[in-house]
Amino acid sequence: MRVSAVVNLVVKDLRAELRTKHTVNFMLLFSGLAVAFFSRIAGSYVGSVPEIGPGLLWLVFLFTGMLGLGRAFVKEKELGTLDGLRLTPMSSAEILAGKAIYNLLLMLGVQSVIFPLFIVFFDFPVRGGFALAFAVLTLGNTCFVIVSSALATLVLNARARELLLPVILLPVLFPVIVLSVSALNSVLVGGEGFLNILGEIKIILAYAVVMGVIAMLTFDFALEE
Amino acid sequence: MHAVEIRDVEKCFGAHRVLRGVSLSVAEGEAFVLLGPNGAGKTTLIRIVATLLRQDSGVVRVLGYDTRREAQEVRRRIGVVTHNPLLYEELTARENLTFYARAYGVPLERIEELLDRVELEERADEPVSTFSRGMKQRLSIARALLHSPEVLLLDEPTTGLDIKGRRDFYALLGNLLEEGVTLLMTTHHTEEAERLCSRGAVLRSGRVVAQGELSELKASVESLEDAYLQMTGEEGEG
């Protein structure tokens, strides 16, 4: 895999996105509104039962990601530029990695704004390390992005692709969400350290690697009409 | 060696057979036109040659490379221009070419050369979304020529262009032909095909119904357009 080819694709996507800010503005607006609504509806419960907090936070990321992350591929498909990409000597792995990294940067941008906002809006009692919680969330979102990028290619040629993606994404993501929520609870609510959540981290990492490999192996087949 | 060699190619989409045993060849340095009505299978055939689609059976070779087994080698040697310019509207002309140049591993100096060639150097730093259709197609040619391809595949490249846009576009293709680039194109405009191409084939319902020198195809009739209408069975319709 050529790193320069991956970077070229990421830079192109970021440049195009920063010029219009369509996706990032939408993702920030949606996630901000979701946090505000959740805090109004369930804020008092989180105060007495803080264990539901990380679950709510993941719901926000899940909906935001499902609505925004598929765009990286869908937009190329709709504009016809996916053919332009496939005609270059870039390998499937390079295209997939470029798109996944671009999606991850979008998601990390959202996470950097929404996670602190969530703590403030919910008046969340943080007992463990904020940095470790942020890292756990980043790992979970990385796996989320890999899985969603992989599945987005699989549904590209489907007619109702933007409806189909969330339906197949949820069951595949279920283990990641459960493990990430568990690790976040351990850190934020239980005040536990890195070694106590190492098991969850290893499984999430392994899941991300396996899904990444499957995505690269199926990419060419998925793009066939 | 043929620039493009197509042998017994079949392609189905579900139960619909789009190509039925298509065979034809294009010599190096020649301009070859595929004529046919909508739905004849021209675009499908071009996409197969361009490695964007896989045929169900048959063999397609570009400069000796098999499009199924050696797709990367084929992609390094072909340029593709379609009615869709394959450009990013938010980016400027220069940014678009920079992206593709890096993807092909081409030195960035080539961008200035091509912008000059397609006469877009003055608009190079403006977003493609502000370009006219003709300008987008000229930029699309620059994109397709970045890596100096030996074979250029053109699928209805003049769709939506006005008369001047078409004339400029064909002048550009004429220059490429003089430089030895092989052209394989589809078009509805028989008079344009005659101006540029020496040989061609007529596709009808996924079959080649005629192929050879354009002068031979129209030998028994008034014009290539008449020959085309006879062969495709469209004469007297509409």
Side-chain angles (χ1 to χ4, degrees):
Chain A
M1 190 191 295
R2 296 170 304 158
V3 176
S4 60
V6 177
V7 171
N8 183 36
L9 184 56
V10 175
V11 168
K12 184 273 291 175
D13 277 344
L14 280 178
R15 188 172 277 153
E17 176 56 32
L18 290 176
R19 206 146 286 168
T20 62
K21 301 187 185 72
H22 287 161
T23 307
V24 76
N25 279 351
F26 163 79
M27 289 173 82
L28 280 172
L29 188 64
F30 178 84
S31 52
L33 283 172
V35 167
F37 284 145
F38 281 167
S39 74
R40 182 73 188 146
I41 295 164
S44 56
Y45 299 108
V46 173
S48 52
V49 192
E51 285 81 4
I52 63 169
L56 285 177
L57 182 61
W58 248 106
L59 269 182
V60 173
F61 287 130
L62 188 64
F63 290 138
T64 307
M66 281 197 301
L67 292 168
L69 298 183
R71 290 297 304 160
F73 276 113
V74 171
K75 196 176 159 196
E76 299 262 13
K77 175 77 179 174
E78 286 172 353
L79 292 174
T81 46
L82 193 60
D83 284 345
L85 269 187
R86 292 175 63 205
L87 285 167
T88 68
M90 287 179 74
S91 68
S92 310
E94 288 163 355
I95 295 175
L96 195 63
K99 290 292 178 188
I101 291 170
Y102 164 72
N103 275 338
L104 181 61
L105 291 174
L106 280 188
M107 209 57 194
L108 289 183
V110 172
Q111 181 186 313
S112 304
V113 175
I114 295 304
F115 186 40
L117 208 63
F118 174 84
I119 304 281
V120 173
F121 264 68
F122 282 81
D123 196 18
F124 198 82
V126 180
R127 292 178 192 134
F130 180 85
L132 182 59
F134 194 88
V136 168
L137 211 47
T138 301
L139 179 64
N141 271 327
T142 304
C143 194
F144 177 21
V145 161
I146 290 171
V147 173
S148 60
S149 301
L151 294 181
T153 62
L154 285 177
V155 300
L156 260 186
N157 288 319
R159 279 183 192 155
R161 51 186 166 246
E162 285 178 284
L163 297 174
L164 189 60
L165 181 60
V167 175
I168 59 170
L169 188 58
L170 269 179
V172 182
L173 266 182
F174 183 73
V176 180
I177 296 171
V178 170
L179 288 165
S180 185
V181 167
S182 164
L184 263 183
N185 260 326
S186 301
V187 175
L188 286 175
V189 184
E192 292 176 21
F194 175 74
L195 290 176
N196 299 88
I197 57 166
L198 196 55
E200 284 100 326
I201 288 175
K202 280 180 182 172
I203 298 173
I204 294 174
L205 271 175
Y207 199 82
V209 170
V210 169
M211 288 307 296
V213 171
I214 291 173
M216 284 177 189
L217 291 175
T218 57
F219 187 76
D220 280 327
F221 174 75
L223 293 186
E224 270 287 320
E225 289 168 32
Chain B
M1 184 174 61
H2 292 294
V4 180
E5 193 180 359
I6 299 166
R7 289 278 168 268
D8 303 321
V9 167
E10 304 259 345
K11 178 70 186 176
C12 297
F13 290 114
H16 181 51
R17 284 178 75 191
V18 181
L19 295 176
R20 302 159 187 247
V22 172
S23 295
L24 54 90
S25 56
V26 182
E28 281 188 61
E30 94 169 317
F32 190 99
V33 64
L34 283 172
L35 295 165
N38 290 335
K42 304 184 299 294
T43 296
T44 301
L45 191 57
I46 288 279
R47 287 179 69 80
I48 288 172
V49 178
T51 73
L52 292 171
L53 267 182
R54 281 169 184 258
Q55 67 273 31
D56 298 331
S57 64
V59 178
V60 178
R61 288 198 184 90
V62 176
L63 298 162
Y65 293 101
D66 188 293
T67 53
R68 281 209 288 210
R69 286 180 288 129
E70 298 162 297
Q72 290 287 34
E73 293 300 327
V74 172
R75 285 171 190 171
R76 284 178 206 283
R77 288 163 176 81
I78 59 167
V80 179
V81 178
T82 68
H83 54 274
N84 183 334
L86 310 184
L87 298 167
Y88 297 93
E89 298 262 323
E90 307 91 339
L91 303 183
T92 65
R94 195 188 306 279
E95 286 167 346
N96 266 286
L97 294 185
T98 301
F99 166 68
Y100 280 110
R102 287 186 173 139
Y104 279 106
V106 171
L108 298 184
E109 294 78 52
R110 176 94 174 124
I111 294 171
E112 300 309 318
E113 185 188 324
L114 284 166
L115 282 171
D116 182 47
R117 178 163 197 175
V118 298
E119 297 171 12
L120 283 172
E121 64 282 345
E122 284 178 16
R123 303 284 300 268
D125 295 311
E126 293 177 31
V128 170
S129 57
T130 64
F131 284 13
S132 69
R133 171 98 182 110
M135 289 164 72
K136 283 180 189 173
Q137 281 306 78
R138 287 194 337 251
L139 185 59
S140 181
I141 283 249
R143 172 195 55 72
L145 294 177
L146 269 170
H147 55 299
S148 308
E150 293 155 76
V151 178
L152 198 57
L153 306 173
L154 303 122
D155 184 22
E156 308 280 0
T158 55
T159 303
L161 290 187
D162 58 20
I163 293 170
K164 185 180 182 308
R166 264 188 209 162
R167 186 176 291 176
D168 292 348
F169 193 81
Y170 275 95
L172 202 55
L173 294 184
N175 292 339
L176 290 171
L177 197 57
E178 282 173 15
E179 290 166 22
V181 176
T182 305
L183 305 179
L184 171 58
M185 64 183 298
T186 72
T187 183
H188 284 299
H189 303 283
T190 50
E191 72 286 359
E192 289 174 354
E194 272 186 287
R195 199 187 309 159
L196 193 70
C197 305
S198 51
R199 289 204 318 130
V202 181
L203 276 179
R204 181 184 174 187
S205 304
R207 286 195 178 90
V208 176
V209 292
Q211 71 170 304
E213 299 288 330
L214 294 188
S215 54
E216 288 171 15
L217 293 181
K218 64 172 186 175
S220 60
V221 285
E222 286 284 307
S223 66
L224 184 60
E225 191 168 87
D226 292 334
Y228 166 82
L229 290 174
Q230 271 185 15
M231 288 165 193
T232 57
E234 289 186 55
E235 197 171 41
E237 286 177 16

